[in-house]
Amino acid sequence: MSAAERLTDALYGAGWGTVKKLPEPVAVRLGRTIADLAWKQRGKGVQRLESNYARVLPDAGPERLRELSRAGMRSYLRYWMESFRLPAWSRERVRTGFDPKDVHYLTDGLAAPQGVILALPHMANYDLAGAWVVTKLQTPFTTVAERLKPETLYDRFVAYREGLGMEVLPHSGGSAFGTLARRLRDGGLVCLVADRDLSASGVEVDFFGERTRMPAGPALLAQQTGALLMPVTLWYDDSPVMQGRVHPPVEVPESGTRGEKTSVMTQALADAFATGIADHPEDWHMLQRLWLADLDPAKGPL
């Protein structure tokens, strides 16, 4: 393990070990202070966040984009402060910490014999949403996690999410899809973050007027298992309670090849994500390159 990897692991370990012990008002202030310092330094992540917001709000001028990126960093650090503290939250705090709209789509789906797939973008705090599903709805679910470096950091994230009641599968290794399909055929719930996939297997979609790739997995799982596929978007307001919306299920097209159906369904996910992100852009934490034009210097800005 390199020195940088040891430092990264130690910082996350300190977060889960120390921040969760802080009084909530102190943790909130700490998160906002860190966010503002990072925003003022205008590192690559902040610049990329601002560039991504420019795609969401093409008419926004430089001042509006800077305001938005500052709000975005504050939202991002709120996510981290909440995540570090979630293991110490009471069950009642988790149950009352999230107020999703149109949750009947989810509860009706869970009451039916087929499985349910929830697909989410990187908005607000999807770990809190997951803990709410386990605690409030008393429904366990399965998800996947990207293998991080160092391995000890990946192990921390797995232990953290398993501690919240989730079954966590590694993204790599090739066996995750089969396990997810089995869980769905048994009538289970699967939750997947699905707004960024830059691999060769990603499905190209139109997203805020430009092309990007999103993972094929949610649509393929729905086709293969008969599970319902539902987009979910999340956001914060001025209260301590996170907000969200469960969107209507994405239908499987009646005709077409598997690839054609996957393309149509993934575009429907992208459209639902775009609706939520356009309404609450500051709560979309995309600090990485996303659009294909940003991946090729010949096609657009880096």
Side-chain angles (χ1 to χ4, degrees), residues 164-188:
L164 297 177
M166 312 174 192
E167 179 188 22
V168 183
L169 307 175
H171 187 271
S172 58
S175 63
F177 188 92
T179 302
L180 294 174
R182 287 193 295 274
R183 299 292 184 270
L184 292 167
R185 290 194 184 99
D186 290 338

Side-chain angles (χ1 to χ4, degrees), residues 16-22 81-94 160 163-164:
W16 273 300
T18 303
V19 173
K20 71 178 181 181
K21 300 176 183 178
L22 297 175
M81 292 298 111
E82 285 181 350
S83 294
F84 288 143
R85 291 174 50 76
L86 259 178
W89 280 20
S90 68
R91 292 178 63 85
E92 181 63 20
R93 179 74 174 86
V94 172
Y160 157 64
L164 297 177

Side-chain angles (χ1 to χ4, degrees), residues 99-177:
D99 182 25
K101 312 299 184 291
D102 297 327
V103 74
H104 65 89
Y105 289 121
L106 173 57
T107 55
D108 289 350
L110 293 174
Q114 80 274 38
V116 175
I117 307 160
L118 298 181
L120 306 89
H122 287 80
M123 292 188 77
N125 190 341
Y126 38 83
D127 287 326
L128 172 55
W132 182 88
V133 167
V134 173
T135 305
K136 176 76 172 181
L137 302 185
Q138 298 183 8
T139 302
F141 66 88
T142 305
T143 188
V144 297
E146 180 183 357
R147 281 204 174 275
L148 303 171
K149 291 184 179 180
E151 189 75 13
T152 51
L153 179 58
Y154 170 77
D155 292 340
R156 287 187 190 276
F157 272 95
V158 170
Y160 157 64
R161 290 181 171 134
E162 288 180 342
L164 297 177
M166 312 174 192
E167 179 188 22
V168 183
L169 307 175
H171 187 271
S172 58
S175 63
F177 188 92

Side-chain angles (χ1 to χ4, degrees), residues 62-273:
E63 184 175 349
R64 170 64 177 136
L65 290 174
R66 281 182 59 81
E67 291 174 354
L68 194 58
S69 65
R70 184 178 190 181
M73 289 303 295
R74 288 182 171 184
S75 175
Y76 185 49
L77 264 294
R78 176 173 171 175
Y79 158 74
W80 279 112
M81 292 298 111
E82 285 181 350
S83 294
F84 288 143
R85 291 174 50 76
L86 259 178
W89 280 20
S90 68
R91 292 178 63 85
E92 181 63 20
R93 179 74 174 86
V94 172
R95 282 194 294 264
T96 59
F98 180 39
D99 182 25
K101 312 299 184 291
D102 297 327
V103 74
H104 65 89
Y105 289 121
L106 173 57
T107 55
D108 289 350
L110 293 174
Q114 80 274 38
V116 175
I117 307 160
L118 298 181
L120 306 89
H122 287 80
M123 292 188 77
N125 190 341
Y126 38 83
D127 287 326
L128 172 55
W132 182 88
V133 167
V134 173
T135 305
K136 176 76 172 181
L137 302 185
Q138 298 183 8
T139 302
F141 66 88
T142 305
T143 188
V144 297
E146 180 183 357
R147 281 204 174 275
L148 303 171
K149 291 184 179 180
E151 189 75 13
T152 51
L153 179 58
Y154 170 77
D155 292 340
R156 287 187 190 276
F157 272 95
V158 170
Y160 157 64
R161 290 181 171 134
E162 288 180 342
L164 297 177
M166 312 174 192
E167 179 188 22
V168 183
L169 307 175
H171 187 271
S172 58
S175 63
F177 188 92
T179 302
L180 294 174
R182 287 193 295 274
R183 299 292 184 270
L184 292 167
R185 290 194 184 99
D186 290 338
L189 175 64
V190 164
C191 300
L192 301 170
V193 179
D195 59 341
R196 185 175 186 263
D197 185 348
L198 304 179
S199 69
S201 61
V203 178
E204 281 201 23
V205 295
D206 288 315
F207 196 53
F208 291 104
E210 293 193 44
R211 302 295 284 177
T212 187
R213 294 192 189 100
M214 293 187 181
L220 289 172
L221 283 167
Q223 293 174 61
Q224 186 165 314
T225 68
L228 295 174
L229 173 57
M230 302 179 192
V232 177
T233 50
L234 309 171
W235 67 91
Y236 292 124
D237 58 15
D238 293 331
S239 77
V241 178
M242 185 175 70
Q243 307 298 312
R245 183 176 305 281
V246 182
H247 297 255
V250 172
E251 296 184 0
V252 178
E254 295 183 359
S255 61
T257 65
R258 185 174 70 167
E260 290 168 344
K261 292 178 180 180
T262 300
S263 179
V264 170
M265 295 173 72
T266 306
Q267 183 63 61
L269 282 182
D271 292 343
F273 293 164

Side-chain angles (χ1 to χ4, degrees), residues 18-83:
T18 303
V19 173
K20 71 178 181 181
K21 300 176 183 178
L22 297 175
E24 187 162 347
V26 176
V28 170
R29 288 196 299 271
L30 176 62
R32 178 161 291 200
T33 298
I34 295 172
D36 288 349
L37 286 173
W39 177 77
K40 289 177 182 177
Q41 290 176 356
R42 294 193 61 74
K44 289 183 179 179
V46 173
Q47 293 181 49
R48 175 53 49 194
L49 183 66
E50 209 164 282
S51 175
N52 289 338
Y53 287 155
R55 292 321 210 299
V56 177
L57 298 173
D59 295 331
E63 184 175 349
R64 170 64 177 136
L65 290 174
R66 281 182 59 81
E67 291 174 354
L68 194 58
S69 65
R70 184 178 190 181
M73 289 303 295
R74 288 182 171 184
S75 175
Y76 185 49
L77 264 294
R78 176 173 171 175
Y79 158 74
W80 279 112
M81 292 298 111
E82 285 181 350
S83 294

